[in-house]
Amino acid sequence: MTNTMANVRSFLKDLWRLTRPYWYSEEKVQARALLALIIAINLGLVYLEVQFNQWNNGFYNSLQNKDLPAFYELLWRFTGLAVIFIIASVYQLYFNQMLQIRWRRWLTDHYLNDWIAERTYYRLQLAGDTDNPDQRIADDLAQFVDRTLNLTLGFMSAVVTLGSFLTILWGLSGAVSFTLGGSTIEIQGYMVWVALIYAVMGTWLMHLIGRPLIPLNFEQQKVEANFRFSLVRFRENAEGIALHRGETGEIRALRERFGAVAFNWWEIMKRQKKLTWFRAGYSQIAIIFPFVVAAPRYFSGQIKLGDLMQTASAFGQVQGALSWFVTAYTQLAHWKATVDRLTGFQAAMERTREASIKEPGIVTAASSDTSVSGDNIELRLPNGTPLVTPFTLKFDPGKSVLITGASGSGKSTVFRALAGLWPWGGGRVHLPAGKSVLFLPQKPYLIIGTLRAQLAYPAPPETYSDADYTRVLDDCDLLQLVKRLNEEQHWAQQLSGGEQQRIAFARALLAKPDWLFMDEGTASLDEPAEARLYGLLRTQLPGTTVISIGHRPVLAQYHERRVSLVKENGVGRLVFA
């Protein structure tokens, strides 16, 4: 019991952390007004249910008394109530969905900001601290908003319904008396007590049966996301898989991923089967139960048919309100799993930001100096193992530099360090203030969009003219793509590795940076193409200082200075020529 209460308190605390920000945000006035309107409509629907309950009494009495005028009058009254009920139901759903999308949009925007700000997304990926952040933002936030609103409003309606119908049921129940041990015991409002006992027993049994659903639903969301991510990776790496003839291994891996989905689903099925057995029986008994309990008073003539029907209706409302936990248990289990995933994601982002404050890694800072320099740069692996011995460097403007080294010596890590991306290590990189810097990785990032947007990235496409695009495509031997400038494609799947690296050079020719850092920027090109592109940098970007990372000896002729990265006893060391 103590553990259960602690879990409930922990859940409510997590729920408040997720919920509170929106209701105290810059949109709080509109959000609260919309919520108040939805609550008012919900209360109105409960009031209409009370009116329907009273209508039941008169209608069935008119049938019993064969009172035709009263019958027609009650039909007209029902029509009016039904029309109002329909309108209220429609707008209750409409405004509920309006609030959902506004809340979800706000949450999505803030989660995206937290995920992307200060390169948290990059550190999370390197650390492997959380699975499928894309699913948590796209799916979990939508489910959280939907279930938080619907379950909260449903619980509120249940409480108001309970309060509204308790008085009605108490008055209709009368008293029941029985003899026990020679004493006569009379219970007032006995139908209320029967409904309470029925609901409490049902709620306790439902929780006992359904409690394992919470971790099962959490796991299901995880394995579903893993399977979907594997399918996306398969699609995006179709050529590599085909070239390796890797279909057998891929389908085996996909089947294993789906096997986890199916296994966990079977566990959910078995648990939900038990829940359904109980819930279906519970609901069916609840239909006839009030008639059985109230029948003695009807057959003894103490109440009329209308009273019996009104009593049964009121009992159903009270019992339904008290049994809200029973009917909503599956949704509550899904909700708990979603809250756990979102709070886990939020905690991982907070840990990453705290780690970046404690250990900022290599810090980049603007400097009044015209050179790019690094002071006491230290590079380590995530487990703390030294990767490169501490070094200090200085690159002067106008003097291109080639950094070479064997594969695995840490060249790309040095590249990340100069960009301020590597989180494990220390030191400071100084970049000239007011000067533009462009970093091009070995595998260029290609967006899904038009070729025009591709070339301009990260600037807007309208930054450059058609003549600019045509010129750089021609210079980079991609003239055949000019007619596709406005074509929207998944270009990473449309272009070869060499073409993608040519696109990266075209970006540099358009951007005209003061400093250009390239990591194996021509690794997918032949030597004549490499020579042509480096020649373009010299002729068209005379004011750009090029820092290249590569392993081909021929690259030395395009640079004025060389730095080697050698590995000694498993640790890299920079040697300046």
Side-chain angles (χ1 to χ4, degrees), residues 11 15 143-144 147-149 151-152 330-340:
F11 171 70
L15 179 62
Q143 293 179 27
F144 168 73
R147 292 192 172 119
T148 299
L149 278 177
L151 288 171
T152 303
T330 302
Q331 287 192 64
L332 286 167
H334 279 286
W335 188 40
K336 175 67 166 60
T338 300
V339 169
D340 287 346

Side-chain angles (χ1 to χ4, degrees), residues 364-375 394 428-435 515:
T364 57
S367 169
S368 58
D369 194 352
T370 57
S371 302
V372 170
S373 61
D375 296 336
K394 185 175 183 179
R428 183 176 290 267
V429 173
H430 300 280
L431 300 175
K435 301 296 183 180
W515 291 82

Side-chain angles (χ1 to χ4, degrees), residues 130-147:
T130 188
D131 64 278
N132 304 299
D134 52 310
Q135 187 218 20
R136 303 197 189 205
I137 294 172
D139 294 342
D140 290 345
L141 283 179
Q143 293 179 27
F144 168 73
V145 170
D146 175 67
R147 292 192 172 119

